[in-house]
Amino acid sequence: MRSIWKGSLSFGLVSIPIQLYGATENHRVSFHQVHTKEGCGGRIRYRKFCDLEDVEVQSDEIGKGYTADDGSTVVLTEEDLASLPLPTAKTIEILSFLPASEIDPIQLDKPYYLATDHAAAAKPYVLLRSALTRSGKAAVAKFALRGREALGLLRVVDDTLVLHSMLWPDEVRSAGGMAPDASVTVREAELDMAETLMESLGELDWSELHDEYREAVQELVAAKQQGRSPSEPAAAPSGGKVIDLMSALESSVAAAREARGESEATVTELKSPQKKATSALPSAGGSGGRGKKGASAKTAKRPAAKASKAAKKSATGGGRSATTKKAAARGSAKKTAAKRTEPAKKAASRKRAS
């Protein structure tokens, strides 16, 4: 990996010779334009023309121009830019230290790794790294790269100092007017179920993340080269219209648990007015068996009217069952009494006969 910048990191009066390396690489799919006429397929090139002389211009005749406030163009040479009194041209200047949580991530841009330029820089490098780690803080700095000055956030990742280029405060647009302006009420039960869904998704395995679009394009290109049809892509999840937010959340929890290979689990009970009304119903015995403890999750989700009707039906069934049991008990008592008196009757009959 080749360094893209060499200079020093200024930490008060301490200067650390460092090199800057790109911390990321671009794997995005890119295309170029071609001539689609049958049998051609040639690349489409763009030529640079002067709009005043209407002639093609070579690279050695192209410079940088800046549009002034009055609309005129001022030509700037590389020597002009190099002569600017910019202290951060070859120095990353630390301005302040603060908790990393105070930096809005929306300001963060491209990350870079910082490496020491020679062995003598190891001690101050480790010192700064250790100070940032122990304090739990990050450093805000200024530096110049590729012809412009930028803010930077310096932090520790593993054992390496990482510099994130940052946007200037006036480069971040206001978020005003983006959020819904209508009054929306979120029920406690919906919020509880949303948190259950968050927990059900489990931990993220970063090693399993990959660019499915890039893989699909590569498969398509390979199929065209080999004269075959590309393999069928995986079915995309349906994005139907959400009618019942609560049902959608519950279905999402079930799908997340199934994806993780968990057995079907009972959804966490939510303290909603509807469930309170159902649980307040009196326990009924008998064949219905639907007291407080026996109520199923489906019964708890029914409207209050249906739950009340079911409870009354269960109570009625319990009454019939109790009556039947009393009648059976009386019949059993008569049979027992008859069995006990039968030997006495036989003995009396034999005595009269003698």
Side-chain angles (χ1 to χ4, degrees):
M1 186 163 51
R2 191 175 65 179
S3 66
I4 60 176
W5 186 87
K6 286 186 178 183
S8 61
L9 175 61
S10 174
F11 175 31
L13 297 179
V14 178
S15 182
I16 310 173
I18 54 101
Q19 299 183 59
L20 213 60
Y21 295 86
T24 60
E25 53 188 4
N26 183 6
H27 289 168
R28 291 189 295 269
V29 174
S30 60
F31 302 98
H32 55 259
Q33 294 182 327
V34 296
H35 189 189
T36 58
K37 182 180 179 180
E38 187 176 355
C40 183
R43 290 283 296 268
I44 302 298
R45 306 284 182 179
Y46 289 95
R47 296 180 177 180
K48 298 180 179 180
F49 278 80
C50 173
D51 60 357
L52 293 179
E53 298 182 2
D54 196 23
V55 294
E56 185 177 354
V57 180
Q58 302 301 319
S59 298
D60 58 357
E61 297 179 359
I62 298 175
K64 294 180 179 179
Y66 184 87
T67 302
D69 294 338
D70 59 2
S72 62
T73 299
V74 179
V75 179
L76 301 175
T77 65
E78 294 297 333
E79 291 75 16
D80 293 332
L81 298 175
S83 64
L84 290 176
L86 192 63
T88 57
K90 285 295 181 180
T91 303
I92 300 174
E93 180 185 356
I94 293 179
L95 304 176
S96 179
F97 294 89
L98 73 170
S101 59
E102 294 185 11
I103 300 296
D104 192 336
I106 200 171
Q107 281 189 260
L108 299 183
D109 200 2
K110 191 174 178 60
Y112 302 93
Y113 292 138
L114 270 63
T116 55
D117 196 13
H118 50 76
K123 180 71 178 287
Y125 184 101
V126 173
L127 173 63
L128 177 58
R129 183 187 67 192
S130 301
L132 290 173
T133 302
R134 191 170 75 172
S135 66
K137 293 185 176 181
V140 176
K142 284 204 313 182
F143 68 105
L145 184 64
R146 295 191 176 98
R148 62 173 300 227
E149 189 175 53
L151 283 176
L153 179 70
L154 189 68
R155 66 188 185 98
V156 179
V157 176
D158 296 330
D159 291 331
T160 305
L161 293 176
V162 176
L163 179 69
H164 293 266
S165 60
M166 297 174 60
L167 301 174
W168 296 96
D170 60 359
E171 292 181 316
V172 179
R173 294 174 176 172
S174 171
M178 299 296 175
D181 55 359
S183 178
V184 178
T185 302
V186 177
R187 293 186 294 130
E188 194 70 24
E190 294 170 337
L191 187 57
D192 290 342
M193 186 56 68
E195 292 180 355
T196 302
L197 174 58
M198 293 165 62
E199 295 174 359
S200 300
L201 291 177
E203 296 182 357
L204 182 64
D205 186 352
W206 292 92
S207 63
E208 293 184 355
L209 300 181
H210 56 279
D211 189 343
E212 297 181 16
Y213 178 75
R214 184 178 76 237
E215 293 176 355
V217 171
Q218 292 171 343
E219 164 61 19
L220 176 62
V221 171
K224 281 186 168 289
Q225 288 178 325
Q226 299 168 13
R228 59 177 176 84
S229 299
S231 58
E232 289 292 330
S238 59
K241 182 179 180 181
V242 177
I243 299 176
D244 187 345
L245 180 59
M246 198 66 178
S247 298
L249 289 169
E250 291 173 353
S251 299
S252 300
V253 171
R257 286 174 172 164
E258 183 179 355
R260 291 169 55 190
E262 294 183 1
S263 59
E264 185 176 354
T266 304
V267 178
T268 305
E269 285 192 2
L270 304 176
K271 295 181 180 180
S272 63
Q274 187 176 348
K275 285 200 172 186
K276 288 181 180 179
T278 306
S279 61
L281 294 174
S283 175
S287 59
R290 292 182 180 175
K292 290 182 181 179
K293 295 182 180 180
S296 65
K298 291 183 178 179
T299 304
K301 294 174 188 175
R302 293 174 183 167
K306 291 186 177 181
S308 177
K309 185 177 179 181
K312 289 179 181 179
K313 185 176 180 181
S314 176
T316 305
R320 288 199 299 268
S321 178
T323 304
T324 304
K325 285 182 178 180
K326 289 180 180 180
R330 287 196 296 270
S332 177
K334 288 181 179 181
K335 289 181 180 180
T336 302
K339 287 181 180 180
R340 290 176 178 176
T341 57
E342 187 174 354
K345 289 181 179 180
K346 288 182 179 181
S349 177
R350 285 196 298 268
K351 189 174 182 179
R352 285 196 299 271
S354 61

